[in-house]
Amino acid sequence: MRFLFVHGTGVRRERHDRLFALVRERLTARFHGAAVDSCYWGDRFGATLGAGGRSIPGLRPGPQGAPDPVDAETAEWALLLADPLCELRVLAEAAGGPDAYEADAYDDRFAMPGVQAAGARVLALLEALPPAPPRTGDELGALLHGTGLAAGFAAALVSTADSAEAARAAARAADEQQARELATALARAVTATVLAAAATDEADCTATERDRLVELLTTRLGGDGRVPGARVAAVLGRLALRVTTQPLLDARRGSLTVGATPVLGDILRYQSRGHELRDFLHARITADPGPTVLIGHSLGGIALVDLLTLAAARGEAVPGAELLVTVGSQAPFLHELGALAALEPGAKLPYGFPRWLNVYDRHDVLSYLAEPVFPGDARVTDHEVRSRQPFPACHSAYWKQDSLYERIEQAVTEAEIG
């Protein structure tokens, strides 16, 4: 008897060697005299970036060796969409100087009777804006309806006008210049709020339409939407560029894409060119005519299920394959989706398919149940392992669990494999 271990997605040589050493040690301790082999496929059939990642924007420098230019405007709006009131907070700190009064203690002792303070006047204009501008005869209303933002406009007005940030920034706007800056910041806050709320709905707003919306709102608040406040723009701009500069975003995109390539790429490659891996596995299994227990982890289990199903459906059961053990496998779920190579959704496992022990951990979101998917098939058995690890650690934690090897030993005995 021999065991043939087939690793899962994203595994390369160094990781495979450590993992297989553990599996071989545990299996040989229980099955004295059994051969324990591995079917390493990561380098040969795993995914790689064939063009060195050239498809990833910004991963490599431009033709002259310089990185892509920083898009300050995009960086600022990234901050505003994440936190629409952040500009008002910056403005409250910048306006009025270090000795400015706090909003809750603001008292303009020298204001002329009957004259409204600059900041209070702007805030009052915001509160007086109609929550539902007409669709026709009003550019603001037409723009809101045309971009799908009209439904959330009233809520955005209220949440901005009633915010502590707006009150504090208004209290610190001491002159007309600061009032114009406040008008711009309030307009951008309202726009960011309505855009953020509509991000998952059916809104369709271009950057040009967004900027025009800010201009129209700023003008109605007594400011000039084409001239953002100098001080707050400088502070917010520096913060935005530090947090979301294009080189940093490119680096993140590049590292995420390259880092995910072995895991996600192996799956995508298998779905399109899985026959190469299946042929390789078939050759390894049949190289030794003796009874074999196949152990497949994750994608390795999917490939084995596909291989055994295809062979059995042709009436050519894989010689020597006596028991299949899938660990943390997605094969049952893919069968429900109709994504297995030779098994339609709802179809039964063909005659000649071996006994199947499917091991899962309920905390491993990449493991699925097989018994309910193949009801009444006595060949299929599920077994739960509890590593007490969160995901994704639990997806690799099976191999140190004694209960896994105990259940494999039981399955070998039940199958009478000698």
Side-chain angles (χ1 to χ4, degrees), residues 61-109:
Q64 289 75 38
D68 292 341
V70 173
D71 187 345
E73 180 187 45
T74 300
E76 289 182 10
W77 276 101
L79 285 183
L80 284 166
L81 290 175
D83 180 6
L85 301 177
C86 66
E87 194 168 23
L88 288 170
R89 279 194 290 273
V90 173
L91 183 60
E93 294 299 328
D99 298 325
Y101 296 109
E102 294 293 337
D104 56 359
Y106 181 74
D107 178 19
D108 189 353
R109 303 175 186 177

Side-chain angles (χ1 to χ4, degrees), residues 130-154 194 202-205 209 213 216:
R135 185 187 295 266
T136 59
D138 180 270
E139 185 182 356
L140 177 60
L143 183 58
L144 289 170
H145 287 283
T147 56
L149 298 175
F153 182 64
V194 73
E202 298 181 356
D204 183 16
C205 183
E209 291 170 328
L213 180 57
L216 292 172

Side-chain angles (χ1 to χ4, degrees), residues 98-354:
D99 298 325
Y101 296 109
E102 294 293 337
D104 56 359
Y106 181 74
D107 178 19
D108 189 353
R109 303 175 186 177
F110 304 102
M112 295 181 62
V115 177
Q116 195 173 30
R121 183 181 70 251
V122 175
L123 193 56
L125 289 172
L126 176 66
E127 294 170 345
L129 286 178
R135 185 187 295 266
T136 59
D138 180 270
E139 185 182 356
L140 177 60
L143 183 58
L144 289 170
H145 287 283
T147 56
L149 298 175
F153 182 64
L157 284 178
V158 172
S159 64
T160 302
D162 290 349
S163 67
E165 289 84 351
R168 189 161 175 258
R172 292 193 170 194
D175 55 36
E176 290 304 315
Q177 173 60 32
Q178 292 175 7
R180 287 191 293 270
E181 290 180 348
L182 174 63
T184 300
L186 287 171
R188 282 158 63 96
V190 171
T191 302
T193 299
V194 73
L195 284 171
T200 57
D201 295 329
E202 298 181 356
D204 183 16
C205 183
T206 67
T208 299
E209 291 170 328
R210 175 201 67 200
D211 294 344
R212 183 55 179 161
L213 180 57
V214 171
E215 285 185 17
L216 292 172
L217 287 172
T218 303
T219 300
R220 297 194 181 192
L221 299 180
D224 186 348
R226 296 167 296 177
V227 184
R231 287 175 295 172
V232 66
V235 176
L236 184 69
R238 286 195 299 269
L239 177 61
L241 294 181
R242 290 180 63 182
V243 176
T244 58
T245 58
Q246 190 63 41
L248 179 58
L249 292 175
D250 288 341
R252 288 175 179 171
R253 176 173 180 166
S255 63
L256 287 173
T257 306
V258 174
T261 294
V263 178
L264 180 59
D266 285 358
I267 298 171
L268 296 175
R269 180 184 172 96
Y270 177 78
Q271 289 298 321
S272 63
R273 306 175 67 178
H275 65 279
E276 298 174 344
L277 176 56
R278 291 193 295 271
D279 290 345
F280 176 64
L281 294 177
H282 187 276
R284 287 298 308 277
I285 296 169
T286 57
D288 188 329
T292 301
V293 177
L294 302 170
I295 303 177
H297 181 220
S298 193
L299 180 58
I302 295 173
L304 287 171
V305 171
D306 273 339
L307 169 63
L308 296 170
T309 302
L310 286 165
R314 294 193 300 261
E316 304 170 355
V318 179
E322 299 291 337
L323 173 65
L324 169 66
V325 180
T326 55
V327 180
S329 178
Q330 306 86 50
F333 180 65
L334 292 181
H335 173 52
E336 284 199 85
L337 293 176
L340 289 183
L343 205 59
E344 294 293 329
K348 297 180 180 180
L349 291 171
Y351 177 80
F353 193 93

